[in-house]
Amino acid sequence: MSSASAAEPSRPARVSGIDKIERRRVALAESALKTLGELGYARTSLREIANNSEFTHGVVHYYFRDKVDLISYCVRYYKTKCAQRYDEVVETAGSAEELAAGFLSKMAQTLVEETPMHRLWYDLRAQSMFEEQLRPDVAAIDQLLEEMIWRILTRYADLSGTEPAVDAPTAYALVDGLFEQAVVNYAADPAGARDLLTGRVEQVLPKLVYSA
């Protein structure tokens, strides 16, 4: 190889058109989430989202065919990030007690810091009972969250030398039910809802595995 070739700076990798479109969709989703979380599903339109962002209505409509497409994408994007935040707790915990403490801490944090996003998710899930177009995305998000809870529970059982006493859908239904109740109660009593959530999940978690 010549010295001229060795000195030539490496060229940045080209970004495909598909990657550029996805990046713009992510940017639009991040911009839209605040409006969606504040107004909810029924009160939000593409124009309302555009009015509360740096993007025009035409740009928003170019990347998302309608409100359902945008909201489904936004919630899927947010919930994917939400599910991944527990991975570090699962991977680094050295004991069942440490895992439980990390899990409860993350749950309390996301309840306090991201309540509007959780309200939007539960709103969207309820709407899917009436709008068939929403159901595939809601089912996919539910599956993602169920797998997240199952990873936590199976790791908790492994660290405590036990086995799960329930299946994945049951574990998810129990934990998610407690979390949804906390989201509903948070507006009236933020501190109480947070403490009640952590106390209830702390009480329930050991009951989801067989006794050691």
Side-chain angles (χ1 to χ4, degrees):
M1 180 183 294
S2 66
S3 58
S5 298
E8 184 178 345
S10 59
R11 296 178 180 177
R14 295 184 63 182
V15 178
S16 71
I18 294 176
D19 290 338
K20 288 180 180 178
I21 291 173
E22 187 62 20
R23 287 183 181 181
R24 178 52 64 93
R25 282 165 67 87
V26 168
L28 284 164
E30 290 178 337
S31 177
L33 278 170
K34 185 174 186 293
T35 301
L36 291 167
E38 290 174 351
L39 297 181
Y41 174 81
R43 296 169 58 199
T44 304
S45 65
L46 290 184
R47 189 171 298 279
E48 187 74 32
I49 290 168
N51 289 341
N52 287 280
S53 74
E54 68 272 28
F55 301 103
T56 65
H57 177 256
V59 169
V60 175
H61 193 67
Y62 177 80
Y63 286 97
F64 297 97
R65 61 182 178 270
D66 54 26
K67 181 178 80 168
V68 172
D69 186 28
L70 172 58
I71 292 179
S72 296
Y73 183 91
C74 287
V75 175
R76 187 168 63 250
Y77 169 74
Y78 169 73
K79 281 297 185 180
T80 298
K81 292 175 61 178
C82 185
Q84 292 171 344
R85 74 181 47 170
Y86 295 95
D87 289 345
E88 183 181 357
V89 175
V90 173
E91 293 168 2
T92 61
S95 67
E97 292 75 18
E98 185 179 347
L99 176 63
F103 176 47
L104 293 171
S105 175
K106 290 287 186 182
M107 284 190 75
Q109 180 182 357
T110 188
L111 173 66
V112 172
E113 297 179 358
E114 298 165 339
T115 310
M117 299 301 101
H118 297 302
R119 286 203 307 261
L120 175 62
W121 158 240
Y122 290 120
D123 186 10
L124 189 70
R125 191 164 71 177
Q127 288 292 333
S128 72
M129 292 189 289
F130 306 97
E131 296 197 36
E132 186 175 354
Q133 187 180 352
L134 291 169
R135 292 171 193 167
D137 283 320
V138 167
I141 296 167
D142 261 328
Q143 183 63 37
L144 175 74
L145 298 174
E146 179 183 306
E147 291 170 355
M148 173 197 77
I149 295 298
W150 189 242
R151 287 197 301 274
I152 293 167
L153 181 59
T154 53
R155 181 57 177 158
Y156 179 82
D158 181 54
L159 289 170
S160 59
T162 63
E163 294 182 358
V166 298
D167 60 11
T170 302
Y172 173 52
L174 289 170
V175 176
D176 182 67
L178 293 175
F179 191 82
E180 182 178 9
Q181 189 175 57
V183 171
V184 171
N185 294 336
Y186 187 80
D189 185 11
R194 181 196 60 210
D195 293 343
L196 193 58
L197 171 65
T198 55
R200 284 175 170 172
V201 175
E202 186 176 26
Q203 181 182 20
V204 165
L205 191 57
K207 294 179 171 60
L208 300 182
V209 298
Y210 290 109
S211 300

